């Protein structure tokens, strides 16, 4: 971020982060440290069309693949992650698949994940349009995987998202998850 001309102290970022200084935390410090108020690149996040969820929107605009502050990292193999989740008694669910996968273009990725032991899809998500919810729920039912719901609540990092505030979030979901975990 400093190489891009933003004024930011890494020590302040580390202090703000509870465990790992992720993009949303970096954005929070950058937008609130008082050192970048005259930077025109930040106007949309401070007082413009991206100010509703400024930290999350900054993350989307700067830290995702292909964006200016993206840093490539090594991700673990999906099979290893799914096996670890299962070995710990958990249920492996792909969170908000619509943020990365289009059923029209990438359905084979989901089939590979199911072959590796994926238990379910978070079909109901604040990331998904109503049309995507229908596509993912229909697909999950056809493939026999769990359908889950997640609001993707992140507190102050995503203030427009309410905890549990998503369709499909009911007690039957918990019962199905427990049933899958106990198999």
């Amino acid at each position: 971020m400093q190489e891009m001309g933003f004024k930011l102290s890494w020590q302040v970022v580390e202090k703000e982060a509870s465990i790992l200084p992720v993009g949303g935390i970096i954005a929070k410090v950058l937008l609130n440290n008082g050192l970048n108020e005259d930077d025109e690149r930040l106007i949309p996040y401070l007082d413009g069309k991206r100010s509703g969820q400024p930290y999350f929107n900054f993350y989307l605009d700067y830290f995702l693949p292909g964006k200016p502050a993206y840093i490539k990292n090594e991700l673990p193999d999906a099979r290893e992650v799914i096996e670890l989740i299962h070995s710990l008694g958990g249920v492996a669910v792909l969170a908000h698949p619509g943020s990365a996968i289009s059923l029209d273009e990438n359905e084979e990725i989901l089939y590979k994940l199911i072959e590796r032991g994926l238990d379910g899809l978070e079909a109901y998500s604040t990331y998904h349009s109503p049309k995507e919810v229908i596509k993912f729920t229909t697909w999950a039912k056809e493939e026999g995987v769990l359908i889950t719901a997640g609001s993707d609540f992140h507190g102050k990092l995503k203030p427009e998202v309410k905890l549990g505030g998503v369709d499909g979030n009911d007690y039957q979901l918990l019962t199905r998850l427990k049933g899958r975990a106990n198999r």
Side-chain angles (χ1 to χ4, degrees):
M1 300 306 300
Q2 292 167 335
E3 290 176 11
M4 295 171 61
F6 291 114
K7 298 172 186 136
L8 183 70
S9 162
W10 186 248
Q11 290 78 17
V12 175
V13 171
E14 285 183 311
K15 186 176 178 181
E16 181 71 29
S18 58
I19 298 174
L20 185 64
V22 294
I25 298 297
I26 295 169
K28 181 179 178 184
V29 172
L30 181 71
L31 293 169
N32 292 310
N33 68 8
L35 302 173
N36 297 284
E37 293 172 349
D38 295 331
D39 192 319
E40 292 194 14
R41 296 172 292 180
L42 301 182
I43 291 172
Y45 311 98
L46 295 170
D47 194 31
K49 64 182 179 178
R50 308 283 286 158
S51 63
Q53 296 187 129
Y55 313 137
F56 181 65
N57 289 329
F58 188 89
Y59 166 78
L60 293 176
D61 295 342
Y62 280 84
F63 291 102
L64 291 181
K67 302 297 181 176
Y70 174 71
I71 297 173
K72 184 172 173 49
N73 56 39
E74 294 296 319
L75 299 174
D77 178 71
R79 177 176 281 127
E80 292 173 15
V81 172
I82 292 169
E83 287 174 1
L84 177 62
I85 292 168
H86 289 159
S87 74
L88 296 170
V91 180
V93 175
L94 181 61
H96 42 73
S99 66
I101 297 171
S102 163
L103 278 177
D104 297 330
E105 300 170 17
N106 307 105
E107 188 177 14
E108 70 280 354
I109 293 171
L110 294 176
Y111 284 121
K112 288 179 183 178
L113 290 171
I114 290 172
E115 287 172 13
R116 289 169 170 81
L118 184 73
D119 297 305
L121 287 181
E122 182 187 73
Y124 295 96
S125 169
T126 55
Y127 281 87
H128 298 160
S129 68
K131 188 176 182 180
E132 287 174 310
V133 169
I134 292 168
K135 281 185 174 185
F136 283 116
T137 54
T138 302
W139 191 90
K141 285 177 186 174
E142 289 172 357
E143 299 306 321
V145 297
L146 287 173
I147 297 169
T148 69
S151 62
D152 206 50
F153 173 76
H154 284 258
K156 292 179 182 178
L157 292 178
K158 293 174 81 176
E160 293 180 355
V161 175
K162 303 298 178 218
L163 179 62
V166 64
D167 289 339
N169 189 15
D170 59 39
Y171 193 76
Q172 291 178 355
L173 171 69
L174 181 60
T175 303
R176 289 190 302 271
L177 283 169
K178 285 182 176 180
R180 184 63 64 104
N182 292 328
R183 64 180 166 112

